[in-house]
């Protein structure tokens, strides 16, 4: 078990039980479309990955972030914008596995000098918390990174501990036993077989072999963002749970139902039952030789006692009832996950009244807004950690900065319909044009002056004699 191996290798107690470790592994397998029930009368339909991807899309539809505040703000904003380019992929991973760690670090340039601030996004299955406070905010943890080199798998374990106003960072490298097959999972029990120098892996060579201490900090130099749902697997754990953790059995049943649908079409494919006497073994279209004939005809040496030598097999397919059952499973999954109806299920079958649609959207809005708040808090913590590193390595002038996040309201609001509604209000004199413009461009009065075209006065010099 990896948590116990980490504990033994780093000589630090790990705050991850076997129960939580197995749960995270299950969510990871489901997300990667190879859950335990795959192939056992179940066709996996990528439902977990679809849930995670759709939730990430809803969360980030109108997302933007900016760090302001002089030269320091400009520098941090440049670093953050670059590192968040693929944030949608990381939010998807976070939704699937219950949490993610954002850990900034300073990369080294080709000249061996500090370069830029980069952000490592550590998946839940590569992170092991070791300490947390009464608010379940993780203050210490171990991060794992893997590197395959030849017949060995190298593991880097990075330990962060925040205590008082000091952060202590320890890096260690380990080499597994020799890999005897292409399946790296076979060496999971021997990842920490032998401790080696960090310099054995080129990418880790610049890291200190000795513990590093950073003083005068207010927070850990990493942040764990958890899915804002109750941990029903282990309530005392500081770790989050997958967005689909409560829908595991429903997803399994939906996969089994899809297998039933597939089997229904296979089992009831049209056939012609015929006596073997009707087929000539020398004919090139013999059912034994021609795959098309083999699929269409079923030969019988002794036909059933009906007096017929040919009988058509073409029973009715129960596709309507089977698809309806599959759709009902999807609706239950939507409810459990926190989606509005029609996100996964057939939109044509969702409720039609305005009140019901609004209530369904409110449920989705509630889920998405809580995730957005969790990420906003996490990104503010990340920006703080980056500012500490920037100051420590003298990468930019010191200064007060501010983080501004904008998430929009696209989950609850149909932007196209809202545009038409507000535009009509302007035409009816119920809304000022300035208020409409500020809503549309998402800006204040000062910024609006730079966006709108200037009004020409009568005495302005208008070219081409267009007065």
């Amino acid at each position: 078990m990896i948590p116990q191996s980490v504990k033994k290798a780093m000589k630090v107690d790990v705050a991850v039980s076997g129960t939580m470790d197995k749960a995270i592994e299950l969510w990871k397998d489901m997300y990667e479309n190879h859950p335990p029930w795959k192939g056992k009368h179940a066709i996996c339909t990528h439902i977990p990955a679809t849930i995670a991807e759709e939730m990430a899309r809803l969360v980030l539809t109108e997302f933007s972030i900016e760090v302001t505040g002089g030269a320091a703000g400009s520098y941090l904003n440049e670093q953050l914008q670059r590192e968040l380019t693929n944030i949608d992929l990381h939010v998807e991973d976070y939704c699937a596995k219950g949490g993610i760690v954002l850990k900034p670090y300073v990369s080294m340039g080709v000249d061996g000098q500090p370069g830029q601030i980069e952000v490592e996004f550590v998946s839940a299955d590569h992170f092991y918390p070791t300490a947390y406070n009464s608010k379940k905010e993780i203050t210490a943890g171990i991060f794992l990174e893997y590197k395959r080199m030849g017949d060995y798998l190298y593991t880097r374990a990075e330990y962060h501990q925040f205590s008082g106003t000091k952060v202590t960072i320890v890096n260690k490298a380990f080499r597994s036993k020799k890999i005897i097959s292409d399946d790296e999972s076979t060496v999971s029990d021997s990842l920490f077989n032998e401790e080696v120098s960090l310099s054995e892996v080129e990418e880790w060579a610049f890291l200190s072999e000795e513990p590093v201490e950073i003083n005068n900090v207010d927070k850990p130099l990493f942040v764990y963002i958890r899915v804002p749902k109750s941990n029903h697997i282990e309530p005392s754990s500081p770790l989050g749970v997958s967005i689909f953790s409560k829908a595991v059995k429903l997803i399994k049943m939906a996969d089994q139902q899809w297998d039933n649908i597939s089997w229904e079409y296979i089992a009831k494919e049209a056939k012609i039952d015929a006596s073997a006497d009707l087929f000539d073994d020398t004919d090139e279209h013999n059912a034994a030789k021609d795959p098309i004939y083999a699929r269409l005809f079923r030969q019988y040496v002794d036909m059933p006692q009906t007096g017929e030598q040919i009988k058509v097999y073409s029973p009715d397919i129960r596709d309507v009832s089977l698809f309806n059952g599959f759709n009902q499973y999807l609706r239950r999954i939507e409810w459990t996950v926190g989606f509005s109806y029609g996100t996964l299920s057939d939109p044509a079958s969702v409720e039609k009244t305005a009140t019901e649609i609004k209530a369904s959207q409110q449920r989705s809005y509630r889920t998405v807004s809580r995730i957005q708040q969790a990420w906003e808090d996490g990104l503010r913590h990340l920006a703080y950690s980056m500012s500490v590193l920037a100051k420590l390595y003298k990468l930019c002038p010191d200064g007060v900065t501010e983080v501004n996040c904008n998430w929009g309201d696209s989950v609850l609001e149909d932007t196209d319909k809202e545009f038409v509604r507000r535009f009509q209000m302007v035409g009816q004199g119920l809304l000022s044009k300035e208020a409409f413009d500020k809503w549309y461009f998402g800006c204040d009065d000062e910024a609006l002056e730079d966006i709108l075209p200037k009004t020409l006065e009568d005495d302005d010099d208008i070219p081409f004699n267009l007065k």
Side-chain angles (χ1 to χ4, degrees):
M1 188 181 296
I2 290 184
Q4 296 303 316
S5 300
V6 172
K7 175 182 177 180
K8 183 178 179 180
M10 299 299 289
K11 298 179 176 57
V12 179
D13 286 333
V14 176
V16 180
S17 68
T19 301
M20 276 304 299
D21 190 52
K22 289 179 180 178
I24 293 172
E25 187 69 20
L26 171 62
W27 303 328
K28 171 181 175 292
D29 289 344
M30 291 175 63
Y31 175 67
E32 295 175 355
N33 208 43
H34 49 78
W37 56 83
K38 185 174 184 178
K40 300 175 182 178
H41 300 294
I43 298 177
C44 297
T45 53
H46 292 279
I47 293 175
T50 302
I51 291 172
E53 181 181 12
E54 180 62 16
M55 186 64 76
R57 186 191 69 80
L58 293 174
V59 168
L60 298 171
T61 296
E62 298 182 15
F63 168 71
S64 64
I65 185 171
E66 183 182 19
V67 183
T68 58
S74 297
Y75 175 80
L76 291 176
N77 186 62
E78 178 185 350
Q79 307 301 303
L80 200 60
Q81 297 296 339
R82 182 190 64 249
E83 294 303 303
L84 296 182
T85 300
N86 295 320
I87 189 174
D88 54 329
L89 302 181
H90 302 302
V91 174
E92 183 177 332
D93 182 81
Y94 150 91
C95 288
K97 300 173 185 176
I100 195 170
V101 173
L102 279 55
K103 180 171 65 68
Y105 65 96
V106 176
S107 61
M108 294 294 113
V110 293
D111 57 357
Q113 297 300 311
Q116 57 191 19
I117 300 178
E118 300 184 23
V119 179
E120 183 179 357
F121 295 84
V122 185
S123 295
D125 53 322
H126 289 176
F127 170 64
Y128 297 88
T130 60
Y132 55 94
N133 58 27
S134 59
K135 296 180 181 179
K136 293 186 179 180
E137 296 170 336
I138 298 174
T139 57
I142 297 171
F143 316 94
L144 301 184
E145 181 182 2
Y146 304 107
K147 176 76 173 181
R148 172 75 180 266
M149 293 175 60
D151 294 331
Y152 298 94
L153 188 64
Y154 288 80
T155 301
R156 180 175 68 88
E158 181 175 338
Y159 171 55
H160 277 233
Q161 180 187 42
F162 171 70
S163 179
T165 59
K166 181 177 71 175
V167 168
T168 302
I169 303 174
V170 178
N171 274 286
K172 290 186 178 183
F174 301 87
R175 184 173 61 193
S176 71
K177 290 182 179 179
K178 191 173 183 179
I179 301 173
I180 59 176
S181 71
D182 291 333
D183 185 5
E184 294 181 358
S185 65
T186 59
V187 301
S188 60
D189 294 334
S190 67
L191 288 174
F192 304 93
N193 180 61
E194 179 186 1
E195 184 174 352
V196 296
S197 171
L198 289 162
S199 60
E200 286 204 19
V201 179
E202 184 179 356
E203 293 91 328
W204 305 340
F206 70 92
L207 297 171
S208 172
E209 298 279 359
E210 299 298 323
V212 175
E213 293 184 354
I214 301 175
N215 295 297
N216 301 318
V217 294
D218 301 327
K219 303 175 182 178
L221 296 185
F222 71 88
V223 56
Y224 174 77
I225 307 175
R226 60 180 288 169
V227 170
K229 285 179 172 284
S230 61
N231 188 331
H232 62 101
I233 304 294
E234 191 173 280
S236 61
S237 175
L239 297 174
V241 296
S242 170
I243 200 75
F244 51 75
S245 64
K246 295 179 180 178
V248 171
K249 290 184 178 180
L250 289 168
I251 293 172
K252 177 181 179 181
M253 294 169 73
D255 286 345
Q256 291 173 333
Q257 181 70 359
W258 193 257
D259 181 82
N260 291 337
I261 293 171
S262 178
W263 174 248
E264 180 76 7
Y265 282 101
I266 294 172
K268 294 187 176 179
E269 183 179 38
K271 297 280 187 182
I272 296 178
D273 295 332
S275 173
D277 297 338
L278 299 177
F279 296 92
D280 183 357
D281 291 340
T282 62
D283 189 348
E284 64 177 356
H285 295 301
N286 185 308
K289 299 178 181 179
D290 192 316
I292 296 178
Y293 273 62
R295 181 171 181 174
L296 180 61
F297 290 97
R298 293 189 299 193
Q299 298 183 52
Y300 290 91
V301 176
D302 295 315
M303 282 288 288
Q305 300 301 315
T306 60
E308 300 176 344
Q309 288 189 302
I310 292 180
K311 184 177 181 181
V312 176
Y313 172 81
S314 182
D316 292 336
I317 296 177
R318 303 168 299 159
D319 54 347
V320 174
S321 59
L322 288 172
F323 275 112
N324 181 61
F326 180 71
N327 196 57
Q328 291 304 315
Y329 283 132
L330 293 182
R331 285 169 62 88
R332 290 303 307 168
I333 292 170
E334 288 169 335
W335 177 270
T336 305
V337 169
F339 280 145
S340 58
Y341 288 139
T343 305
L344 302 174
S345 61
D346 183 2
S349 65
V350 303
E351 58 273 69
K352 297 298 183 180
T353 70
T355 301
E356 289 173 327
I357 292 174
K358 189 71 173 180
S360 181
Q361 288 179 331
Q362 284 283 1
R363 185 171 62 255
S364 184
Y365 176 78
R366 168 69 173 166
T367 304
V368 170
S369 62
R370 292 185 66 197
I371 292 176
Q372 289 173 339
Q373 186 60 57
W375 271 84
E376 181 166 338
D377 294 342
L379 290 170
R380 292 184 185 280
H381 188 148
L382 173 64
Y384 167 79
S385 300
M386 293 173 71
S387 68
V388 170
L389 295 179
K391 181 179 180 180
L392 181 67
Y393 286 90
K394 298 181 173 55
L395 298 175
C396 68
D398 195 11
V400 178
T401 60
E402 183 178 353
V403 179
N404 303 298
C405 290
N406 178 43
W407 300 97
D409 199 19
S410 59
V411 177
L412 194 63
E413 181 181 89
D414 186 322
T415 306
D416 291 337
K417 290 182 179 179
E418 186 64 14
F419 177 90
V420 173
R421 188 179 72 85
R422 296 195 186 212
F423 192 77
Q424 290 175 341
M425 291 178 67
V426 172
Q428 296 169 357
L430 301 175
L431 181 69
S432 69
K433 184 178 181 300
E434 290 74 15
F436 175 83
D437 290 336
K438 286 191 288 184
W439 167 79
Y440 182 78
F441 293 109
C443 63
D444 55 19
D445 291 322
E446 183 178 350
L448 188 63
E449 292 182 4
D450 297 328
I451 295 175
L452 297 179
K454 307 299 182 183
T455 303
L456 295 173
E457 303 293 341
D458 291 341
D459 56 351
D460 284 342
D461 185 15
I462 302 177
F464 307 114
N465 297 319
L466 294 178
K467 286 186 179 180

